[in-house]
């Protein structure tokens, strides 16, 4: 983990409220692994005291891609950082996902949750058979379809209103796909209800989920990012996660 | 200029410490830990504590409210697993101890008076379970008794971390002095409540403790007040984000300062505060550090 | 929905008041004064007071610190010159009274129990000159005595404005109740110290009182705590800048709220807060105002 | 006094740190009188709680001119408001200067203090003989010389370094000019030491000064803007001033 200033080289609006930015950050690009995140200083002055955690969505050469949805002041500020400006960030943070070999893999992303799965899928696809399910409310809110296609993995798409692909939720579609696979390992990222639904629908599977909780530091020193373990106590999401075996935690 | 400060038997190489609960056990950022005046660990209790359910942190403009709830591995695991790893840090090590009875404070001080530990910060912001759950720190008599028990168990430096919630810290600082403390830290977090739009509490622990710039001027008031009224060294804490903030606390009478919330934003903050403080001293051409400490009180 | 609130004999048409010291005597903005629940005047003392030397106000992100020092024309001139002019306002009028002895509080209440005055807000955040200068508001026994004396002098509504500086407001709220108060206001400003770069105090009065959003969550904590522990209506105050803030205090248990610092930025703020609060009630489809008051306490 | 939103129609940088803006504000332009000020909301969110007082420097048709020096966050923000944006302001505030008739008048401005004197001089010049002294540290920091010239009043210029006009302070030059006039009424605006110096140099004169003090509200309701009267007690600068008879107050 390092504190670094990364120049924004590109800003793109993917949907009404989802933005993608590319950062020039050679060291981060080299060291970051799927499942990790950066913690970004947002705003000027002391109004927004805490950094905002954003997952690493992709890495290309010396560049790192972040994709985020505007939900409040911090992400709104982030969406307005002009090209050429420097971002103050800490990273890479969090525990990298362990990449298996020779397995059937089911990747399931809902909404902006597709973002960190892109980087993960890129690495998983090298030595595994990867099946990707992407879900969104509607065609307009679907992101990264083209990027996933380029990875040459088998892709499935669901929208709640049927405006693109299968009509239904990502987790419903994931259940259908999983049933066709051989003991797949599942990686899921999306809103909490989606993660809960996947756990309910795929009992007995090894399911890794990108969990979220309010963070203080992101570096492990404040113990604010508690996620309840099923066997009692809490883990620190910024250290022991953010990708955790969903079977072992209480969402 | 010489910035060393001695409290009890401990000589701190410089006056900037990392505050309890906001720097873990100091193991994660050894470069920072070794360069600053010292580190105060997260609170250690006799029994392990899981802490409060999430969310544990709320943010508002200028401050945060936390309800970590004293999550910690407990005395035994701290001694067996963490203390040995702290051997590789060179920094002054103050262990923040939190008891739920007078005896627990004594036990913690006794069990942790190992070679590696330079001193204790006695965290009196916890409920006194035996006596109806009022906080130790809100009762000067209890503060004196707790301090005395710790003092009897150790010849290490004893610092009492005072709260200014609903109690005049002059009274509790006098009590700490009477109990044999070498210094007091002022202030711990202020009580706070944050609500969701539907009127229910935001934090998993229902209420929490406010820290950050929002409490700076209240903390400065407390430091100035205690430094002028009680003959005990004060460690200033509350909303210190940069060197000027640190200098303000020192002007108000603090001998040392602690950096808390700032480390959440930036784990290098304590070191940056120390560097900025040194630069400010050069810019202001201070001749004598002792003239700077408490100059607010002498000015009026 | 009916937003009327009755305290003592006074019926407030709605729950948003202008706080003491931040709305003058209400004469400058009659349109606002007449549309809100009522106004609380600047503090009136028996003798005229010039107040503190300037500067009297310090600003920091999220808050201000004032040291006005109770500047006011004194009882006689207030009665002769200002009270008659207040006849042209229709709004509920609460006079904030500040005494430096128990007798002064009695005299103020007696002399000002005119027809135009709906009630008193007893400001106990001043030093008790006869007894060493400790603040009345930090001693529950004194709060009870002051309240009782005021109660004996008037049949108007009696509100006690409590401080949460170095005293648990539950204790002083109980004292106010025992003394016969109809309600308590929580909270007055928090103690604060601001320094200049050279370490000397910024404010002419040396220290001051912190108000604004920086104290909101501490004030909410106090309101929630008192509302659940003491059977006395609470008026919430501290950092209310908009309708959501007002709703937060009401959820936490306040029957009415006061808008202070926000009026400095915008003298129409109390009216805007009231309009926003009404809109929020509509948006939230509240059926019964009584269900909203104190819902935080009932939720956990 | 009204709360109003005034559109910025022009922004000009006069010196390194002094800016001039014109506002479209018909009602304000009609009602404002010399000596009055507006109180401006600065910044977004709650970081800067208080408005910032700025004197009315000039009025032209429906337009109002403000001139200010950057000294902190609030004025820095103000200098960056782009043309076309609306400013939230309260005004006109303060007590107008009483305009005498048929008198010798000496106007003395130091630094950015020249600004409110422009509007005042325009009104004074109609029925009085007006002599204007403007001072600044150097030529580069001198403002409004051309504007004052257009008023066809007798003008004198002083700079500390002699880079423009007379070498010395505005108050030194004002003393010289005053000695040539017949019982002049003096109007002064500038840093506090300049005002003090003028009072010391021109005993027995009626001297009106633009005083400054930290303000809370600007509308008279908070009693924060205290200025000490010589005979005891304080006046409220935002109500009884900001232009006050310097002979009666303690600066
Ligand atoms: C490890 C981790 C990785 C993340 N990666 C991404 C990502 O790649 N893309 C993305 O769009 N978002 C991501 N998030 C969520 C993102 O951090 C929050 O949306 C952001 O912090 C909100 O900040 P804000 O100031 O805009 O909103 P705020 O004003 O702080 O809050 C607005 C809303 O956002 C929610 N929120 C705030 N902080 C968090 C948080 N830490 N976790 C969950 N919800 C929060 C609040 O509940 C609230 O409803 C991640 C969160 C974590 C913990
Ligand atoms: C009635 C009145 C009229 C004014 N007219 C003008 C004007 O026409 N042009 C102009 O450039 N300035 C004027 N000022 C001063 C201007 O209001 C301050 O410079 C401004 O408020 C500073 O805000 P800030 O956020 O930039 O600085 P801050 O960060 O608030 O403070 C920075 C510095 O400015 C000083 N300052 C802050 N507020 C005031 C104040 N109210 N009075 C004096 N000094 C202050 C402080 O002492 C400090 O050193 C006037 C002040 C008053 C009271
Ligand atoms: C997340 C967090 C955890 C804390 N834990 C402790 C603790 O365990 N023991 C303690 O004495 N103080 C604890 N504190 C209080 C800080 O040490 C410090 O007194 C307070 O935060 C004020 O300083 P600041 O404004 O610089 O943060 C904690 C504060 C925070 C923000
Ligand atoms: C400038 C100023 C003057 C005040 N004067 C008084 C006063 O005379 N009497 C009083 O009881 N409270 C006084 N207060 C306290 C306010 O009424 C209120 O309790 C406090 O400011 C907290 O509310 P706020 O955060 O909304 O301002 C004053 C506050 C300010 C800012
Ligand atoms: S966010 Fe601080 S420990 Fe995880
Ligand atoms: S600034 Fe509030 S009364 Fe003058």
């Amino acid at each position: 983990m390092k504190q670094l200033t990364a120049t924004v080289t590109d800003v793109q609006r993917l949907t009404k409220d989802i933005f993608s930015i590319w950062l020039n950050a050679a060291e981060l690009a080299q060291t970051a692994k799927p499942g990790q995140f950066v913690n970004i200083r947002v705003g000027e002055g002391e109004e927004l005291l805490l950094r905002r955690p954003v997952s690493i969505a992709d890495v290309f050469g010396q560049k790192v891609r972040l994709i985020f949805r505007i939900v409040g002041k911090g992400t709104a500020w982030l969406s307005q950082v002009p090209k050429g400006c420097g971002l103050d960030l800490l990273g890479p943070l969090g525990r990298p996902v362990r990449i298996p070999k020779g397995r059937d893999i089911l990747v399931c992303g809902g909404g902006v949750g597709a973002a960190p799965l892109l980087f993960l899928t890129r690495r998983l696809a090298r030595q595994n058979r990867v099946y990707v399910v992407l879900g969104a409310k509607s065609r307009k809110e679907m992101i990264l379809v083209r990027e996933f296609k380029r990875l040459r993995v088998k892709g499935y798409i669901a929208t709640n209103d049927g405006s693109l692909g299968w009509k239904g939720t990502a987790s419903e579609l994931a259940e259908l796909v999983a049933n066709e696979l051989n003991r797949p390992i599942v990686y899921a990222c999306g809103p909490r209800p989606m993660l809960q639904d996947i756990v309910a629908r795929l009992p007995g599977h090894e399911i890794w989920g990108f969990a979220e909780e309010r963070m203080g530091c992101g570096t492990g020193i404040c113990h604010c990012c508690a996620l309840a373990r099923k066997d009692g106590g809490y883990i620190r999401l910024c250290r022991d996660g953010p990708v955790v075996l969903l079977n072992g935690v209480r969402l | 200029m010489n910035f060393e400060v001695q409290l009890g038997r401990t000589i701190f190489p410089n006056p900037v410490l990392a505050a309890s609960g906001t720097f873990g056990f100091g193991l994660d950022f050894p470069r920072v830990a070794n360069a600053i005046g010292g580190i105060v660990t997260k609170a250690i209790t006799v029994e392990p504590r899981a802490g409060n359910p999430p969310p544990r942190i709320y943010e508002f403009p200028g401050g945060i409210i936390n309800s970590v709830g004293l999550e910690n591995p407990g005395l035994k695991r701290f001694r067996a697993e963490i203390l040995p790893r702290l051997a590789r840090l060179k920094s002054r090590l103050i262990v923040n101890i939190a008891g739920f009875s007078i005896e627990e404070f004594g036990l913690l001080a006794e069990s942790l008076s190992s070679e590696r530990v330079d001193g204790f910060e006695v965290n009196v912001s916890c409920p006194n379970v035996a006596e109806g759950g009022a906080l130790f720190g809100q009762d000067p008599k209890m503060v004196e008794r707790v301090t005395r028990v710790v003092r009897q168990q150790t010849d290490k430096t004893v610092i009492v971390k005072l709260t200014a919630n609903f109690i005049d810290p002059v009274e509790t600082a006098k009590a700490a002095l009477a109990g044999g403390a070498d210094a007091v830290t002022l202030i711990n977090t202020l009580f706070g409540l944050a609500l969701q739009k539907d009127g229910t509490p935001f934090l998993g622990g229902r209420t929490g403790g406010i820290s950050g710039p929002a409490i700076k001027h209240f903390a400065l008031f407390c430091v100035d007040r205690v430094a002028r009224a009680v003959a005990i060294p004060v460690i200033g804490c509350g909303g210190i984000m940069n060197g000027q903030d640190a200098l303000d606390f020192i002007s108000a009478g603090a001998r040392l300062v602690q950096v808390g919330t700032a480390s959440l934003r930036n784990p290098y903050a304590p070191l940056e505060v120390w560097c900025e403080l040194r630069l400010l001293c050069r810019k202001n051409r201070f001749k004598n550090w002792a003239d700077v400490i408490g100059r607010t009180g002498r000015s009026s």
Side-chain angles (χ1 to χ4, degrees), chain A, chain B:
Chain A
M1 196 275 293
K2 286 251 169 98
Q3 183 178 14
L4 51 109
T5 305
T7 311
V8 176
T9 60
D10 188 58
V11 182
Q12 241 183 299
R13 187 172 190 157
L14 303 187
T15 74
K16 192 166 55 72
D17 55 3
I18 299 179
F19 284 74
S20 157
I21 59 180
W22 280 97
L23 304 173
N24 210 339
E27 200 181 332
L28 183 64
Q30 269 160 35
T31 53
K33 301 218 164 56
Q36 292 190 299
F37 64 99
V38 291
N39 213 1
I40 312 173
R41 178 104 173 75
V42 289
E44 282 94 32
E46 239 90 276
E47 185 152 357
L48 301 174
L49 277 179
L50 302 174
R51 290 168 184 265
R52 298 298 191 263
V54 178
S55 293
I56 293 170
D58 210 355
V59 160
F60 184 79
Q62 312 218 330
K63 298 204 170 144
V64 172
R65 186 178 194 181
L66 306 179
I67 296 175
F68 56 90
R69 204 160 71 83
I70 299 186
V71 298
K73 281 189 205 169
T75 43
W77 181 88
L78 203 56
S79 74
Q80 280 164 15
V81 175
K83 229 164 86 170
C85 274
L87 280 185
D88 167 2
L89 44 88
L90 295 173
L93 296 166
R95 173 179 294 192
V97 176
R98 219 174 333 111
I99 306 285
K101 273 186 199 167
R103 296 285 302 259
D104 275 10
I105 304 276
L106 174 60
V107 166
C108 177
V112 73
L117 296 176
L118 179 62
F119 187 27
L120 175 61
T121 302
R122 199 184 286 289
R123 295 287 162 92
L124 285 169
R126 291 178 186 165
Q127 316 189 35
N128 300 276
R129 295 168 299 281
V130 185
Y131 302 80
V132 177
V133 174
L134 297 182
K137 284 208 189 103
S138 72
R139 165 183 223 123
K140 274 196 189 149
E141 280 152 86
M142 183 69 75
I143 59 168
L144 301 178
V145 174
R146 230 178 329 143
E147 279 88 342
F148 276 98
K149 265 198 187 138
R150 270 198 229 110
L151 298 182
R152 296 173 193 285
V153 292
K154 187 104 185 71
Y156 305 85
I157 284 179
T159 53
N160 295 6
D161 64 357
S163 54
L164 190 71
W166 193 73
K167 180 171 175 174
T169 68
S171 41
E172 282 164 7
L173 185 53
E175 183 183 357
L176 298 179
V177 176
N179 291 337
E180 307 297 309
L181 305 182
N182 177 23
R183 288 198 314 119
I185 307 181
V186 184
Y187 298 88
C189 183
R192 199 164 280 217
M194 182 195 104
L195 299 184
Q196 288 164 333
D197 196 38
I198 288 201
V199 173
R201 284 172 188 280
L202 300 175
H205 284 74
E206 177 181 339
I207 308 174
W208 294 86
F210 286 71
E212 279 189 20
E213 193 42 77
R214 291 269 172 169
M215 289 191 171
C217 64
T219 59
I221 58 184
C222 78
H223 288 250
C224 285
C225 57
L227 183 70
R229 282 201 316 251
K230 277 211 178 119
D231 55 357
Y234 297 97
I235 62 165
R236 270 178 302 175
L237 201 66
C238 73
R239 267 303 169 82
D240 309 323
V243 182
V244 292
L245 200 55
L246 293 186
N247 316 70
V249 299
R250 254 201 303 269
L251 281 178
Chain B
M1 216 157 64
N2 181 6
F3 289 101
E4 277 183 2
V5 190
Q6 178 160 7
L7 296 180
R9 300 187 177 178
T10 310
I11 295 175
F12 296 89
N14 68 61
V16 180
L17 313 180
S20 175
T22 58
F23 207 65
F25 293 111
L27 290 162
D28 304 299
F29 298 94
R31 195 172 65 81
V32 178
N34 287 335
I36 60 178
I39 53 173
V40 186
T41 68
K42 227 179 131 35
I44 301 296
T45 54
V46 173
E47 300 299 328
R49 282 174 62 91
N52 283 324
R56 291 183 175 180
I57 188 162
Y58 176 83
E59 188 187 16
F60 64 95
I64 58 172
I65 315 183
N66 88 79
S67 68
V68 171
L70 295 179
E71 171 176 334
N72 81 92
L75 173 57
K76 243 191 246 157
R77 275 186 55 206
F78 175 70
R79 211 165 42 167
E81 295 169 23
I82 296 166
L83 207 46
R85 290 163 62 201
L86 283 164
R88 55 176 143 100
L89 292 188
K90 287 178 303 181
S91 48
R92 301 294 164 277
L93 180 68
I94 305 294
V95 180
N96 185 282
I97 53 175
F100 295 89
S101 66
I102 302 222
E103 296 70 40
E104 283 195 353
F105 278 105
L107 177 63
L108 285 160
E110 189 198 347
S111 320
L112 291 170
S113 285
S114 80
E115 222 170 279
R116 179 62 192 93
V117 173
D118 294 290
F120 297 101
E121 188 174 65
V122 183
N123 182 342
V124 289
S125 294
C126 4
N128 179 354
V129 174
E131 312 213 357
L135 306 194
F136 285 102
Q138 290 175 345
D139 180 349
K141 277 189 240 78
M142 277 297 154
V143 170
E144 184 175 339
R145 283 181 58 193
V146 168
T147 310
R148 181 159 296 127
V149 165
V150 171
R151 177 78 289 164
Q152 281 160 356
Q153 296 301 333
T154 189
D155 53 2
K156 309 272 177 188
T157 299
V158 175
I159 301 162
V160 181
K161 172 122 176 220
L162 297 177
T163 172
N165 281 313
F166 305 163
I167 178 78
D168 185 347
V170 164
E171 291 182 41
T172 44
K174 281 182 182 160
L177 180 63
D182 298 305
V184 293
T185 301
L186 278 169
I187 59 176
N188 210 320
T189 53
L190 257 190
F191 290 144
L193 172 64
L195 299 182
Q196 305 191 72
K197 292 248 160 88
D198 68 1
T200 59
F202 179 91
L203 291 169
R206 192 171 195 280
T207 65
I210 307 175
S211 62
I215 69 167
K216 176 188 162 186
H217 298 283
F218 178 64
L220 266 182
F221 180 96
C222 294
V223 167
D224 170 66
R225 182 174 169 85
V226 170
R228 290 187 302 139
V230 191
I232 191 166
V234 173
I235 304 175
C237 179
I240 296 178
M241 306 301 281
N242 53 48
Q244 182 63 52
D245 291 334
L247 182 56
D248 286 351
F249 275 85
I250 285 162
S251 298
R255 304 270 304 269
L256 298 99
V257 296
Q258 293 181 359
V259 176
T261 300
S263 301
L264 268 51
R265 174 155 84 185
N266 181 358
Y268 305 102
L271 181 53
E272 288 177 8
V273 167
W274 164 228
C275 294
E276 288 173 21
L277 180 62
R278 231 172 358 182
L279 276 177
L280 274 175
C281 291
R282 211 168 298 161
K283 226 180 88 186
N284 283 302
R285 293 165 201 271
F286 293 145
K287 292 274 142 50
N288 189 346
W289 193 224
D291 292 344
V292 182
I293 300 172
R295 59 188 177 153
T296 304
R298 290 188 298 271
S299 76
S300 48

